[in-house]
Amino acid sequence: MQQNNYPNPPYQVMEEEDTIDLRKLLFKYLRFWPWIVVSAGLGVILAVFFTRIATPIYKVEGTVLIQDGSPSLGADLFDGAGGMFGGKNNIENEVGILKSYTLAEEAVRKMNLNVSYFKDGIFSKPQLYGNVPIHAQLDWKHPQITGGLWKIKVLNTEEYELSIEEDNFSVFNPADPFYKTKLENVQVQEGRYKFGETIEGDHFKFSLENTSALAEEVLFVKFMDTPTLAQGYREKVQVAPTNKQASLLNITLETPVRRLGEDYLNHLMEAYLDRELKIKNQASENTVRFIDRQLSGITDSLTFFEDRLQKYRSDNRIFNLSQEGSIVFERLESLEKEKSEAELRKKYYTNLREYLSNEQLDDLTAPSVIGIQDPLLNALVINLAELQSERVRLSANFSDQTPAVVEVKNKIQNTRKTLLENVRSALTNTENILAELNQKVKMVERDINALPETERNLLGIQRQFSINENIYVYLLQKRAESEITKASNMPNNSILDFARAGALPISPKKSLSYLIGLILGLMLPIGVITVRDFLKTKIEDADQLQHDLKVPLLSQIGKSKAADKRVVFSKPRSMVTESFRNLRADMAYLVPHDQDTLTLSFTSTISGEGKTFVAYNTAAVYSLIGKKTLIMGLDLRKPRIAEDFDINYSKGISNVLSSNMDWREAVVSSGFPDCDVLLAGPTPPNPAELLMTEKFARMMEEVKEEYDVIIMDCPPVGLVSETKDLFKYADINLFVFRQNYSHQDAIQFVNELKAKGDVKNLYAIFNAVEGSSGTYGYGYGYGSKSYGYHEEEEKKKWYSLK
């Protein structure tokens, strides 16, 4: 028999771009709206609970004003020569100083933060600060365990009970303070102790004092070493300019204890100003040390010549020089004063040269403090001292290979070489001046030789006394000036705003927490649904099926909950029956109107997808309109019609094909008008070969002559081979998919059949559809609401995820 060829049917597969249908996506998730609402509510409730138990975090802020000092002459010269020296106060440098470990350590030491105290709470342990009920005394010269948490239960004013709350201890060794070892087991006897009693072991030594603790009060203490505390606070503190143009630095710290944060930032800013003042005072201190070394020798000489002058005057009864001697002495005294000042400068230059050669840059003294008025030399010494301070600061926080440290070291070497050359030149000039003064002194000494011997000797002694006296007075004057300078020094920078915490905590924020709780509550069920859809292997959605199939999806058949599978006959007003009527109506568009007979084949990928159910009830809707209909059970391997539809007859197609029996003898009535059944019969040993015989082909011709509609219930095409040979007898071939049962691989199987061209007029049916599987809520053809047109079946529970 020739296969029927029809014109293009109205159901054409359209090539569509892969676009996201937002409305479809929305309705997909709205199917589970009760779950989403419940989850969102739980998220908000958990957020409220979190905000109540979470420890509030406060933001503490302080402000430092950075004053840009006026550059010195030497700095201007060298800046113009190539930018060797930066400004005195570089904002980035000041930020680095404020965040340095050195300042953090100094602040921690001043505040004595090595012991933290906590009180017992329901969900957390709030930290106590200030007036604590107990006080711990630790011997930091002894190894100490840090990091863990001790529990203190006060028994009375004299005793307490000690136990370990959190065993997370490390051992701090004072011999190596920057390295700690983990301690697994703490060898301490838990139990009763007296306040004031020293508790000592290999890794701890401490005692507790009761200041205001009451009986039955429970407290907790934690010991922390200074290096760990300093490093922790250093990482927590944030320093940043208020804006790019201003020289204001904003210092912030986030902490659960407002007062503690305020005190720490204030101590940090004070340590910052103390450091600057210490650097400024260093030049005065170096000057005082230099002058004190000179005075130690001058004082002895001055005393010696003072005694000698007094004795000589007494012995020789001469107290004043003659007029001529006084004139000579004044000339000589003036020269000796110039000579002593030149020798003092020479000593300074000599010491400065030794410091530079030996790189003792911390002992530099500015030339101006001892009366040397050389602007370039003075600027070089000051700049070199500042560069040395910068190197010390950077080396405390960075390695020697860091670019910033390398750059500062290069600047120090260049400045040191330049300064050393200037010192050598100044030393040569000073030696020339001394030689010239010595010549002048020799000329005056000739005039002295013309004086009487007694006066000449008096003049010599008085000359030595005057020289030492002038030097002594000069040094005392410079020392006093240096002390005054040191006392009057003030930091260039200043604290503009002392640390102050905000009135409200920055964390947790109620509105933000509620929003996050709501979002997480919404995202959890949506995420579960999305992951579930991503991992699913079964076909669930009709639209996705229609999108992926290369053949038209002809109809959707609702899931019947009736016990009788002949639903068209048993429930003629149900929605499932109506979906079969829709299938019958759609079928009219697929065949020519003048065709007298219609042959339909039904198959699926595997058994259980409902092809027999769909085939039987499709036959039933045709019989209801008076079409003489025959249902043929062609699944000879696993026949289901007799069992599923309660038909008691043992003969069928296998008997007809394997004997001389006429096929009409095997036909039985379904029990309903115009609907007959031709069962498969007993399972033969060769079902595929029987269906390929010439006898079967003749039988099909005869059947089509006697019946208006022939329904072929074929075997699953994915399991057996004979189904492909049966397709040629049908006008329309229908492939049945079942919701939540058929695998997605079945779609590819049907697409391959279409691509190979083995099957003509192939269409798909989506069976056992529950709820609204179609787009935007449509299902069964009329929608999910019947409004009295159909019998209502039991609705799916709202909490079901299927």
Side-chain angles (χ1 to χ4, degrees):
M1 179 179 177
Q2 294 294 328
Q3 182 174 346
N4 296 322
N5 294 317
Y6 301 108
N8 291 333
Y11 295 94
Q12 297 294 322
V13 180
M14 305 299 294
E15 294 294 332
E16 299 178 353
E17 296 182 359
D18 291 334
T19 57
I20 298 177
D21 191 335
L22 295 180
R23 293 182 64 190
K24 173 186 172 184
L25 190 64
L26 177 62
F27 276 91
K28 170 186 174 182
Y29 290 113
L30 285 180
R31 291 170 53 196
F32 308 101
W33 69 266
W35 285 105
I36 297 174
V37 170
V38 170
S39 180
L42 288 176
V44 174
I45 292 173
L46 290 175
V48 173
F49 181 71
F50 169 76
T51 56
R52 291 184 179 273
I53 68 170
T55 302
I57 303 297
Y58 295 88
K59 185 176 183 180
V60 184
E61 294 182 287
T63 308
V64 173
L65 175 62
I66 307 299
Q67 296 286 356
D68 292 330
S70 301
S72 61
L73 173 61
D76 289 341
L77 291 174
F78 280 92
D79 283 343
M84 184 182 300
F85 304 105
K88 286 189 175 182
N89 291 302
N90 183 279
I91 294 295
E92 293 182 1
N93 290 342
E94 302 307 312
V95 170
I97 294 171
L98 282 165
K99 285 182 63 66
S100 65
Y101 171 83
T102 304
L103 288 188
E105 183 182 31
E106 186 174 349
V108 168
R109 288 188 186 279
K110 287 183 178 180
M111 295 179 65
N112 192 21
L113 298 176
N114 299 102
V115 183
S116 299
Y117 304 88
F118 306 87
K119 65 180 180 180
D120 198 12
I122 299 177
F123 299 104
S124 62
K125 298 178 178 64
Q127 185 176 353
L128 302 175
Y129 180 73
N131 296 324
V132 292
I134 60 174
H135 184 70
Q137 294 284 353
L138 282 82
D139 184 3
W140 288 104
K141 295 180 180 179
H142 188 281
Q144 293 287 358
I145 51 176
T146 62
L149 197 64
W150 299 92
K151 181 179 180 180
I152 311 297
K153 183 178 181 180
V154 181
L155 302 178
N156 50 60
T157 57
E158 301 293 334
E159 292 182 311
Y160 64 92
E161 186 177 272
L162 177 68
S163 60
I164 297 174
E165 179 72 10
E166 294 179 5
D167 188 3
N168 187 26
F169 293 101
S170 299
V171 179
F172 168 78
N173 187 356
D176 189 4
F178 293 98
Y179 176 75
K180 294 190 296 184
T181 56
K182 192 74 174 176
L183 186 63
E184 298 296 336
N185 295 316
V186 182
Q187 301 297 326
V188 61
Q189 186 67 34
E190 299 182 339
R192 284 174 171 256
Y193 290 92
K194 291 185 177 181
F195 285 108
E197 179 183 354
T198 299
I199 303 173
E200 185 174 359
D202 293 337
H203 303 115
F204 53 88
K205 184 179 181 182
F206 64 92
S207 63
L208 297 178
E209 298 288 344
N210 187 353
T211 56
S212 60
L214 303 176
E216 301 302 321
E217 189 173 358
V218 178
L219 301 166
F220 303 90
V221 295
K222 176 183 288 188
F223 305 149
M224 293 297 294
D225 57 285
T226 298
T228 302
L229 279 171
Q231 186 62 32
Y233 276 104
R234 176 176 177 264
E235 294 173 356
K236 291 179 182 178
V237 169
Q238 300 296 324
V239 183
T242 55
N243 56 62
K244 293 182 179 180
Q245 288 75 30
S247 56
L248 292 173
L249 293 181
N250 192 39
I251 310 172
T252 60
L253 172 66
E254 295 181 3
T255 175
V257 185
R258 290 184 293 178
R259 221 178 116 200
L260 173 61
E262 292 173 349
D263 288 348
Y264 176 78
L265 285 192
N266 287 332
H267 278 83
L268 181 69
M269 292 187 288
E270 290 171 359
Y272 169 71
L273 298 183
D274 290 343
R275 172 194 173 277
E276 183 188 359
L277 185 59
K278 183 179 179 181
I279 293 175
K280 293 186 70 174
N281 288 337
Q282 187 173 0
S284 298
E285 292 172 356
N286 291 341
T287 302
V288 171
R289 283 196 297 270
F290 174 79
I291 293 175
D292 286 342
R293 287 196 299 269
Q294 305 306 315
L295 284 173
S296 63
I298 294 296
T299 302
D300 295 337
S301 299
L302 182 61
T303 303
F304 172 76
F305 285 111
E306 184 180 12
D307 293 341
R308 186 178 175 187
L309 178 61
Q310 184 178 359
K311 185 176 185 304
Y312 186 82
R313 283 175 173 174
S314 298
D315 293 343
N316 295 279
R317 296 181 179 276
I318 181 171
F319 298 98
N320 294 315
L321 296 172
S322 63
Q323 183 177 4
E324 183 180 358
S326 297
I327 294 173
V328 173
F329 180 75
E330 287 177 2
R331 289 170 57 198
L332 184 60
E333 186 181 31
S334 177
L335 291 173
E336 289 292 351
K337 183 178 180 181
E338 292 182 24
K339 182 180 175 182
S340 62
E341 291 177 357
E343 287 177 347
L344 185 61
R345 290 198 300 272
K346 181 181 178 182
K347 279 187 179 181
Y348 171 77
Y349 291 141
T350 303
N351 288 338
L352 185 57
R353 183 180 62 182
E354 291 178 359
Y355 291 153
L356 293 174
S357 300
N358 298 330
E359 296 190 0
Q360 296 175 254
L361 304 182
D362 292 331
D363 297 328
L364 297 180
T365 303
S368 59
V369 298
I370 58 170
I372 300 177
Q373 302 301 324
D374 187 339
L376 180 59
L377 186 65
N378 192 66
L380 287 171
V381 173
I382 293 175
N383 285 321
L384 185 58
E386 290 179 352
L387 288 172
Q388 174 65 7
S389 299
E390 178 69 8
R391 185 193 68 79
V392 172
R393 182 189 68 80
L394 292 174
S395 298
N397 297 282
F398 305 102
S399 64
D400 291 341
Q401 287 74 33
T402 304
V405 178
V406 173
E407 182 182 4
V408 170
K409 285 184 176 180
N410 291 335
K411 288 181 179 181
I412 289 175
Q413 292 301 322
N414 293 332
T415 307
R416 189 180 68 85
K417 291 179 182 179
T418 304
L419 181 57
L420 195 56
E421 292 176 1
N422 279 268
V423 169
R424 288 170 180 167
S425 176
L427 188 59
T428 302
N429 293 336
T430 304
E431 289 174 347
N432 293 335
I433 292 173
L434 279 173
E436 184 178 350
L437 289 173
N438 285 330
Q439 286 297 116
K440 291 180 179 181
V441 169
K442 287 181 180 180
M443 292 177 64
V444 174
E445 285 177 347
R446 293 175 186 172
D447 296 334
I448 294 175
N449 291 331
L451 296 174
E453 182 179 359
T454 303
E455 192 172 357
R456 188 171 62 247
N457 292 336
L458 177 61
L459 191 147
I461 297 172
Q462 192 168 350
R463 169 190 172 190
Q464 293 296 328
F465 173 76
S466 179
I467 291 172
N468 286 280
E469 184 183 34
N470 289 334
I471 295 175
Y472 184 79
V473 171
Y474 178 77
L475 290 176
L476 284 181
Q477 179 185 355
K478 292 301 179 182
R479 191 182 189 280
E481 290 176 357
S482 298
E483 293 287 357
I484 293 172
T485 301
K486 179 181 177 182
S488 61
N489 273 341
M490 293 291 291
N492 288 335
N493 304 328
S494 60
I495 299 176
L496 185 62
D497 292 322
F498 283 93
R500 183 176 60 187
L504 297 176
I506 61 170
S507 175
K509 295 182 178 179
K510 291 186 178 180
S511 57
L512 181 60
S513 299
Y514 298 161
L515 179 61
I516 293 176
L518 177 62
I519 293 175
L520 291 179
L522 291 173
M523 293 304 297
L524 180 62
I526 292 175
V528 171
I529 295 169
T530 303
V531 172
R532 170 180 167 273
D533 288 346
F534 179 77
L535 298 177
K536 69 181 182 182
T537 59
K538 305 295 179 64
I539 301 173
E540 297 180 1
D541 183 50
D543 291 321
Q544 189 63 38
L545 174 63
Q546 187 172 10
H547 178 272
D548 295 339
L549 274 174
K550 302 302 181 184
V551 299
L553 178 61
L554 189 60
S555 180
Q556 297 182 50
I557 307 298
K559 184 174 183 179
S560 175
K561 296 179 175 60
D564 191 350
K565 294 187 178 181
R566 297 169 294 189
V567 63
V568 171
F569 295 128
S570 63
K571 290 183 175 294
R573 295 185 64 244
S574 69
M575 295 178 66
V576 177
T577 301
E578 192 62 37
S579 63
F580 281 105
R581 291 192 179 100
N582 289 331
L583 176 61
R584 181 186 63 193
D586 292 338
M587 205 71 69
Y589 295 98
L590 303 181
V591 295
H593 294 291
D594 56 352
Q595 182 172 322
D596 296 330
T597 62
L598 175 64
T599 304
L600 304 177
S601 71
F602 290 85
T603 187
S604 61
T605 310
I606 57 176
S607 62
E609 293 177 293
K611 61 178 179 57
T612 301
F613 169 80
V614 175
Y616 191 99
N617 285 284
T618 302
V621 293
Y622 277 103
S623 68
L624 290 178
I625 60 174
K627 296 286 187 180
K628 190 177 180 181
T629 307
L630 176 67
I631 305 173
M632 300 180 66
L634 297 177
D635 190 352
L636 304 185
R637 301 171 188 265
K638 192 177 180 182
R640 298 292 299 273
I641 295 178
E643 178 183 351
D644 291 347
F645 298 97
D646 195 22
I647 300 175
N648 295 318
Y649 194 69
S650 59
K651 295 182 180 180
I653 293 177
S654 61
N655 301 102
V656 174
L657 297 179
S658 59
S659 65
N660 294 324
M661 181 179 178
D662 186 73
W663 63 272
R664 295 173 183 82
E665 297 177 11
V667 174
V668 295
S669 174
S670 65
F672 298 96
D674 297 322
C675 185
D676 295 334
V677 179
L678 179 56
L679 299 175
T683 303
N686 56 344
E689 288 73 15
L690 287 178
L691 296 175
M692 296 175 64
T693 60
E694 184 66 27
K695 186 175 182 179
F696 178 75
R698 289 196 303 269
M699 184 186 71
M700 288 300 300
E701 291 180 358
E702 294 173 1
V703 167
K704 290 183 179 183
E705 290 176 357
E706 295 192 18
Y707 286 91
D708 300 322
V709 178
I710 299 96
I711 304 297
M712 302 169 60
D713 180 22
C714 302
V717 70
L719 300 179
V720 298
S721 59
E722 60 264 27
T723 304
K724 295 180 181 179
D725 296 314
L726 297 175
F727 286 150
K728 63 185 178 181
Y729 296 105
D731 299 321
I732 302 296
N733 297 291
L734 299 169
F735 200 99
V736 178
F737 296 91
R738 182 175 179 178
Q739 188 183 41
N740 297 319
Y741 186 87
S742 300
H743 285 265
Q744 293 185 354
D745 294 339
I747 299 175
Q748 183 62 27
F749 183 81
V750 174
N751 291 339
E752 290 177 359
L753 289 177
K754 175 69 175 178
K756 292 177 181 178
D758 296 337
V759 184
K760 303 298 182 181
N761 300 323
L762 181 61
Y763 296 88
I765 293 177
F766 200 26
N767 182 37
V769 178
E770 291 186 276
S772 301
S773 178
T775 306
Y776 314 143
Y778 292 98
Y780 309 161
Y782 278 108
S784 59
K785 295 291 184 180
S786 63
Y787 298 105
Y789 282 93
H790 311 115
E791 294 176 355
E792 295 287 347
E793 297 192 33
E794 183 183 355
K795 293 183 179 180
K796 182 177 64 172
K797 300 298 184 182
W798 65 267
Y799 48 80
S800 174
L801 287 177
K802 292 184 179 180

mmCIF file of all heavy atoms in Angstrom, residues 12 40 67 75 111 135 194 346 356 585 593 607 672 717 749:
data_model
loop_
_atom_site.group_PDB
_atom_site.id
_atom_site.type_symbol
_atom_site.label_atom_id
_atom_site.label_comp_id
_atom_site.label_asym_id
_atom_site.label_seq_id
_atom_site.Cartn_x
_atom_site.Cartn_y
_atom_site.Cartn_z
ATOM 1 N N GLN A 12 3.139 23.885 11.533
ATOM 2 C CA GLN A 12 4.496 23.949 11.003
ATOM 3 C C GLN A 12 5.468 24.277 12.128
ATOM 4 O O GLN A 12 5.187 25.098 12.987
ATOM 5 C CB GLN A 12 4.614 25.022 9.911
ATOM 6 C CG GLN A 12 3.760 24.750 8.702
ATOM 7 C CD GLN A 12 4.198 23.515 7.953
ATOM 8 O OE1 GLN A 12 5.377 23.249 7.833
ATOM 9 N NE2 GLN A 12 3.246 22.768 7.448
ATOM 10 N N ALA A 40 10.439 33.802 52.053
ATOM 11 C CA ALA A 40 10.747 35.230 52.241
ATOM 12 C C ALA A 40 10.405 35.675 53.656
ATOM 13 O O ALA A 40 11.157 36.430 54.287
ATOM 14 C CB ALA A 40 9.991 36.059 51.212
ATOM 15 N N GLN A 67 50.432 70.054 58.642
ATOM 16 C CA GLN A 67 50.926 71.382 58.260
ATOM 17 C C GLN A 67 52.124 71.234 57.335
ATOM 18 O O GLN A 67 53.087 70.550 57.669
ATOM 19 C CB GLN A 67 51.348 72.183 59.507
ATOM 20 C CG GLN A 67 50.212 72.485 60.459
ATOM 21 C CD GLN A 67 49.284 73.566 59.922
ATOM 22 O OE1 GLN A 67 49.542 74.148 58.864
ATOM 23 N NE2 GLN A 67 48.208 73.844 60.648
ATOM 24 N N ALA A 75 66.739 72.705 50.494
ATOM 25 C CA ALA A 75 65.724 71.829 49.896
ATOM 26 C C ALA A 75 65.263 72.382 48.569
ATOM 27 O O ALA A 75 65.064 71.654 47.602
ATOM 28 C CB ALA A 75 64.541 71.679 50.849
ATOM 29 N N MET A 111 48.085 51.927 76.782
ATOM 30 C CA MET A 111 46.731 51.612 77.239
ATOM 31 C C MET A 111 46.665 50.326 78.054
ATOM 32 O O MET A 111 45.648 50.054 78.695
ATOM 33 C CB MET A 111 45.796 51.491 76.035
ATOM 34 C CG MET A 111 45.604 52.770 75.265
ATOM 35 S SD MET A 111 44.508 52.551 73.851
ATOM 36 C CE MET A 111 42.962 52.148 74.658
ATOM 37 N N HIS A 135 40.694 42.105 88.053
ATOM 38 C CA HIS A 135 41.883 42.622 87.396
ATOM 39 C C HIS A 135 42.946 41.534 87.367
ATOM 40 O O HIS A 135 43.236 40.906 88.397
ATOM 41 C CB HIS A 135 42.415 43.848 88.127
ATOM 42 C CG HIS A 135 43.583 44.486 87.445
ATOM 43 N ND1 HIS A 135 43.467 45.172 86.253
ATOM 44 C CD2 HIS A 135 44.887 44.526 87.790
ATOM 45 C CE1 HIS A 135 44.646 45.609 85.895
ATOM 46 N NE2 HIS A 135 45.542 45.240 86.800
ATOM 47 N N LYS A 194 42.241 31.343 95.131
ATOM 48 C CA LYS A 194 41.992 32.557 95.889
ATOM 49 C C LYS A 194 42.436 33.766 95.088
ATOM 50 O O LYS A 194 43.427 33.708 94.358
ATOM 51 C CB LYS A 194 42.743 32.510 97.223
ATOM 52 C CG LYS A 194 42.195 31.484 98.199
ATOM 53 C CD LYS A 194 42.906 31.580 99.540
ATOM 54 C CE LYS A 194 42.313 30.596 100.534
ATOM 55 N NZ LYS A 194 42.992 30.692 101.865
ATOM 56 N N LYS A 346 86.295 74.053 63.496
ATOM 57 C CA LYS A 346 87.120 72.966 62.966
ATOM 58 C C LYS A 346 86.761 71.646 63.645
ATOM 59 O O LYS A 346 86.673 70.594 62.993
ATOM 60 C CB LYS A 346 88.594 73.288 63.162
ATOM 61 C CG LYS A 346 89.532 72.208 62.618
ATOM 62 C CD LYS A 346 90.982 72.570 62.853
ATOM 63 C CE LYS A 346 91.901 71.459 62.357
ATOM 64 N NZ LYS A 346 93.327 71.760 62.605
ATOM 65 N N LEU A 356 79.887 61.234 59.046
ATOM 66 C CA LEU A 356 79.494 60.915 57.670
ATOM 67 C C LEU A 356 80.298 59.744 57.132
ATOM 68 O O LEU A 356 79.759 58.885 56.420
ATOM 69 C CB LEU A 356 79.683 62.142 56.774
ATOM 70 C CG LEU A 356 78.746 63.322 57.069
ATOM 71 C CD1 LEU A 356 79.136 64.525 56.224
ATOM 72 C CD2 LEU A 356 77.293 62.941 56.792
ATOM 73 N N ALA A 585 -10.753 17.271 16.922
ATOM 74 C CA ALA A 585 -11.014 18.453 16.096
ATOM 75 C C ALA A 585 -9.761 18.881 15.337
ATOM 76 O O ALA A 585 -9.828 19.264 14.154
ATOM 77 C CB ALA A 585 -11.518 19.596 16.969
ATOM 78 N N HIS A 593 -10.402 16.714 3.317
ATOM 79 C CA HIS A 593 -11.808 16.600 3.740
ATOM 80 C C HIS A 593 -12.552 15.490 2.995
ATOM 81 O O HIS A 593 -13.544 14.974 3.502
ATOM 82 C CB HIS A 593 -12.525 17.941 3.499
ATOM 83 C CG HIS A 593 -11.981 19.043 4.377
ATOM 84 N ND1 HIS A 593 -12.167 19.064 5.736
ATOM 85 C CD2 HIS A 593 -11.258 20.148 4.050
ATOM 86 C CE1 HIS A 593 -11.583 20.148 6.240
ATOM 87 N NE2 HIS A 593 -11.020 20.820 5.221
ATOM 88 N N SER A 607 7.830 1.991 27.339
ATOM 89 C CA SER A 607 6.493 1.657 27.839
ATOM 90 C C SER A 607 6.176 2.491 29.064
ATOM 91 O O SER A 607 7.078 2.977 29.765
ATOM 92 C CB SER A 607 6.437 0.164 28.199
ATOM 93 O OG SER A 607 7.364 -0.119 29.235
ATOM 94 N N PHE A 672 -19.007 -0.649 23.870
ATOM 95 C CA PHE A 672 -19.591 0.644 23.544
ATOM 96 C C PHE A 672 -19.874 0.674 22.048
ATOM 97 O O PHE A 672 -19.186 0.025 21.252
ATOM 98 C CB PHE A 672 -18.647 1.775 23.938
ATOM 99 C CG PHE A 672 -18.365 1.813 25.419
ATOM 100 C CD1 PHE A 672 -17.221 1.205 25.924
ATOM 101 C CD2 PHE A 672 -19.249 2.420 26.298
ATOM 102 C CE1 PHE A 672 -16.957 1.230 27.283
ATOM 103 C CE2 PHE A 672 -18.984 2.453 27.661
ATOM 104 C CZ PHE A 672 -17.839 1.854 28.162
ATOM 105 N N VAL A 717 8.701 2.650 19.988
ATOM 106 C CA VAL A 717 9.664 2.679 18.894
ATOM 107 C C VAL A 717 11.093 2.719 19.420
ATOM 108 O O VAL A 717 12.041 2.369 18.701
ATOM 109 C CB VAL A 717 9.373 3.885 17.976
ATOM 110 C CG1 VAL A 717 9.705 5.204 18.687
ATOM 111 C CG2 VAL A 717 10.152 3.796 16.666
ATOM 112 N N PHE A 749 15.461 11.696 20.130
ATOM 113 C CA PHE A 749 15.123 10.506 19.348
ATOM 114 C C PHE A 749 14.097 10.841 18.267
ATOM 115 O O PHE A 749 14.225 10.435 17.108
ATOM 116 C CB PHE A 749 14.580 9.418 20.283
ATOM 117 C CG PHE A 749 14.258 8.119 19.601
ATOM 118 C CD1 PHE A 749 15.243 7.197 19.318
ATOM 119 C CD2 PHE A 749 12.952 7.829 19.231
ATOM 120 C CE1 PHE A 749 14.937 6.010 18.676
ATOM 121 C CE2 PHE A 749 12.635 6.650 18.593
ATOM 122 C CZ PHE A 749 13.638 5.727 18.308
#
